[in-house]
Amino acid sequence: MTPGVTDETVDAMSLEKIDRIIDAMRRETYRWSPVRRTHIPKKNGKKRPLGLPTWSDKLVQEALRLLLDAYYEPRFSDHSHGFRQGRGCHTALREVTQKWRGVKWFIEGDIKGCFDNIDHDVLLATLSENLQDNRLMRLVSSMLKAGYMENWRYGDTLSGTPQGGVISPLFSNIYLDSLTSTSTDWIGL
């Protein structure tokens, strides 16, 4: 029920509106709205940006997420646990305790601003290695470049995928998956 840059929420959705969205996607006239950017507090006292898409954009993102997840999920490393169905911190810890016996030390890391710094060209090139649908690629590209509104001022999105977007966690997994092909001696959260 949280609105994006418009007042549209789930309660304004109807079959007619969904049909209009499908028709616009079919004709390639669907236009993404900029996300509404707000900042939420982090544990360390700093704030991180959160992008709030419109309800229609959330719906289209979810359709894209379902489609891309069906293709990419079986290809992801078994050592990757972050933002995946049925996986998370507990499955990663279980893997460590059951399969990594005898390991003397672990290195913890965090990719600072991961969602904010995803290079659009690299993500699109990574997607196009396996996806041959130019319409789908144009839809994803236009979504990445839709921009954001903060304090009612428009900003370009030159990189990144907004935290708060339905599809952003999957995009980060696709983007970072190439790390898994270089080494099997790691666990990702």
Side-chain angles (χ1 to χ4, degrees):
M1 295 297 287
T2 304
V5 295
T6 67
D7 290 333
E8 177 191 45
T9 59
V10 67
D11 59 345
M13 201 49 59
S14 66
L15 288 176
E16 293 80 21
K17 187 165 192 164
I18 292 170
D19 286 339
R20 285 193 303 273
I21 292 169
I22 291 169
D23 187 55
M25 289 177 62
R26 188 175 287 130
R27 291 183 288 116
E28 293 191 68
T29 59
Y30 185 81
R31 297 295 172 250
W32 299 93
S33 298
V35 296
R36 179 170 62 92
R37 181 177 281 178
T38 187
H39 294 269
I40 59 173
K42 294 168 62 172
K43 289 181 182 178
N44 63 7
K46 295 182 180 181
K47 293 188 175 195
R48 71 175 171 93
L50 180 68
L52 301 168
T54 64
W55 180 254
S56 293
D57 287 354
K58 286 179 192 177
L59 185 64
V60 175
Q61 280 189 29
E62 178 61 12
L64 279 171
R65 189 195 66 76
L66 289 169
L67 180 70
L68 293 174
D69 190 60
Y71 180 80
Y72 281 99
E73 177 59 32
R75 291 162 173 75
F76 289 148
S77 168
D78 286 337
H79 300 297
S80 174
H81 295 266
F83 303 117
R84 293 181 64 194
Q85 184 73 25
R87 293 173 182 254
C89 295
H90 296 302
T91 58
L93 289 171
R94 187 177 315 116
E95 181 178 340
V96 167
T97 59
Q98 293 175 355
K99 297 180 181 176
W100 292 65
R101 295 181 184 266
V103 173
K104 303 255 188 265
W105 50 272
F106 289 90
I107 298 172
E108 179 195 357
D110 183 19
I111 300 173
K112 184 178 179 182
C114 178
F115 285 102
D116 302 331
N117 294 302
I118 289 178
D119 184 295
H120 292 168
D121 293 333
V122 172
L123 177 60
L124 291 168
T126 302
L127 289 169
S128 68
E129 288 173 8
N130 298 302
L131 305 174
Q132 306 304 311
D133 186 333
N134 290 332
R135 291 171 63 158
L136 178 68
M137 295 303 296
R138 286 190 294 272
L139 184 65
V140 170
S141 178
S142 64
M143 179 188 62
L144 292 171
K145 296 175 179 147
Y148 65 92
M149 295 289 286
E150 186 170 7
N151 298 322
W152 296 109
R153 298 186 82 161
Y154 175 81
D156 286 326
T157 46
L158 305 175
S159 67
T161 178
Q163 287 191 31
V166 176
I167 200 166
S168 296
L170 179 60
F171 280 161
S172 72
N173 280 344
I174 292 168
Y175 191 85
L176 297 172
D177 186 59
S178 62
L179 295 176
T180 63
S181 63
T182 59
S183 173
T184 58
D185 297 336
W186 71 277
I187 294 180
L189 288 177

